[in-house]
């Protein structure tokens, strides 16, 4: 059960953020509006939000998911505590985002670890499926970082496996192409659907032209999806899921998806 979320709106220099796509510059005011709608959707799912101030030192800093991986740890003495593993982003211009997030997470997490050089890991490369974590090896997450993360997750009885997405066109992070929906199901784009890693799951394949919608978020009794992908939304509703569609056009221009915009615990 998710009860809290951490979000940060984009700063006025959001258009200076990194991107690998050519969809035009984001409209800043529209991005703010879409971010507000996103926050409202999180609250509708039952989350209490911690709103951080925009940080124009780091144009990418609205994508808070890349700074940390959170693990819910159950213990006899406490119903649930959170372990925070601080990431080390693959883009050097984003390094400062982690330090500021560490201060925030210290209020939620009694246990904190960090990826160390030469390892790099972006949170967007980590797909959590119950007690198993898929770790994407990408242009942002290297093998050294993935191995460190695997060892840290093992401390909390979590298994993990590596999924190499280098060379796969159209996705920056692993979660650009796959999301865990709960109930043993994954939403996955075609190019990833044949990977052996995912064959023990019920796969919901994204149709051609709707690949961006693969980055969706299961939150308690709802699934947040990007607006504008009716075939995928129809598939989810036919499976009995309640969906909330959120406009994401301005964040898509900057390689961002729904999961990128929050840390959820």
């Amino acid at each position: 059960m998710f009860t809290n979320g951490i979000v940060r709106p984009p700063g006025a220099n959001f258009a200076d953020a990194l991107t690998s796509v050519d969809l035009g510059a984001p409209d800043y005011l529209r991005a703010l509006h879409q971010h507000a709608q996103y926050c409202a959707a999180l609250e509708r799912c039952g989350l209490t939000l911690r709103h951080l101030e925009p940080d124009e030192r780091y144009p990418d800093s609205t994508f808070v998911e890349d700074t940390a991986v959170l693990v819910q740890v159950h213990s006899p003495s406490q119903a649930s505590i959170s372990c925070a593993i601080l990431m080390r982003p693959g883009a050097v211009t984003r390094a400062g985002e982690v330090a500021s997030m560490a201060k925030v997470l210290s209020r939620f997490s009694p246990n904190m670890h960090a990826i160390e050089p030469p390892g790099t890991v972006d949170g967007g490369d980590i797909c959590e499926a119950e007690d198993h974590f898929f770790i994407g090896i990408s242009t942002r997450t290297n093998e050294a970082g993935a191995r460190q993360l695997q060892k840290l997750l093992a401390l909390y009885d979590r298994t993990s496996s590596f999924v190499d997405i280098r060379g796969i066109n159209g996705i920056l992070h692993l979660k650009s192409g796959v999301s865990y929906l709960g109930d043993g199901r994954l939403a996955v784009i075609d190019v990833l659907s044949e990977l052996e890693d995912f064959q023990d799951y019920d796969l919901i394949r994204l149709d051609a032209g709707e690949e961006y919608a693969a980055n969706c978020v299961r939150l308690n009794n709802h699934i947040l999806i990007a607006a504008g992908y009716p075939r995928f939304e129809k598939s989810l509703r036919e499976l009995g899921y309640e969906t909330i569609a959120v406009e994401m056009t301005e964040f898509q221009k900057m390689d961002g998806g729904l999961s990128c915009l929050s840390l959820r615990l």
Side-chain angles (χ1 to χ4, degrees):
M1 182 76 176
F2 291 95
T3 56
N4 291 281
I6 301 169
V7 294
R8 187 192 299 275
N13 60 345
F14 181 47
D16 295 332
L18 301 170
T19 185
S20 65
V21 297
D22 186 15
L23 299 175
D27 181 304
Y28 173 58
L29 293 180
R30 189 175 184 189
L32 286 178
H33 177 68
Q34 291 180 353
H35 192 272
Q37 287 184 319
Y38 175 82
C39 292
L42 295 182
E43 291 174 334
R44 179 177 167 187
C45 293
L47 273 62
T48 299
L49 299 183
R50 171 75 182 273
H51 295 267
L52 306 181
E53 292 295 321
D55 190 344
E56 293 185 13
R57 295 175 300 170
Y58 308 106
D60 292 276
S61 59
T62 188
F63 301 127
V64 294
E65 181 186 53
D66 286 325
T67 63
V69 166
L70 305 180
V71 184
Q72 295 304 114
V73 183
H74 301 281
S75 69
S77 60
Q78 300 182 65
S80 180
I81 60 175
S82 176
C83 156
I85 304 174
L86 300 175
M87 300 292 95
R88 186 169 179 264
V92 295
T93 56
R94 301 193 64 188
E97 297 175 35
V98 177
S100 61
M101 185 59 69
K103 297 177 182 179
V104 177
L105 290 175
S106 65
R107 303 178 185 182
F108 292 94
S109 175
N111 304 307
M112 194 170 291
H113 309 275
I115 302 298
E116 302 289 346
T120 63
V121 184
D122 275 16
D125 276 318
I126 315 305
C127 179
E128 179 182 356
E130 306 296 343
D131 289 340
H132 185 78
F133 285 71
F134 296 107
I135 304 173
I137 308 298
S138 71
T139 58
R140 300 288 180 85
T141 296
N142 64 22
E143 294 182 28
R147 287 193 294 270
Q148 287 183 46
L149 179 57
Q150 187 172 58
K151 290 179 180 179
L152 291 170
L153 290 170
L155 296 175
Y156 298 95
D157 299 319
R158 298 303 196 271
T159 60
S160 58
S161 57
F162 300 162
V163 182
D164 194 338
I165 63 168
R166 291 172 294 186
I168 297 179
N169 292 329
I171 58 172
L172 175 67
H173 290 126
L174 178 63
K175 282 201 291 193
S176 303
V178 62
S179 297
Y180 184 62
L181 303 178
D183 309 308
R185 291 193 177 107
L186 293 171
V188 62
I189 60 175
D190 267 347
V191 71
L192 297 180
S193 64
E194 301 303 322
L195 294 181
E196 184 177 348
D197 309 76
F198 303 141
Q199 297 314 303
D200 291 336
Y201 294 83
D202 180 14
L203 302 183
I204 312 302
R205 291 174 172 82
L206 278 292
D207 291 340
E210 294 206 346
E211 291 89 350
Y212 178 72
N215 183 264
C216 54
V217 182
R218 173 74 183 266
L219 282 174
N220 302 330
N221 296 322
H222 294 84
I223 296 181
L224 268 61
I225 62 171
Y229 302 94
R231 287 170 290 175
F232 180 54
E233 183 170 14
K234 182 174 183 287
S235 296
L236 292 178
R237 288 188 172 274
E238 287 175 346
L239 290 168
Y241 294 113
E242 288 291 329
T243 61
I244 301 175
V246 181
E247 291 284 349
M248 288 290 293
T249 58
E250 304 316 296
F251 297 99
Q252 184 179 7
K253 294 174 182 177
M254 309 309 290
D255 280 320
L258 285 161
S259 69
C260 308
L261 291 175
S262 62
L263 281 168
R264 303 160 297 277
L265 63 156

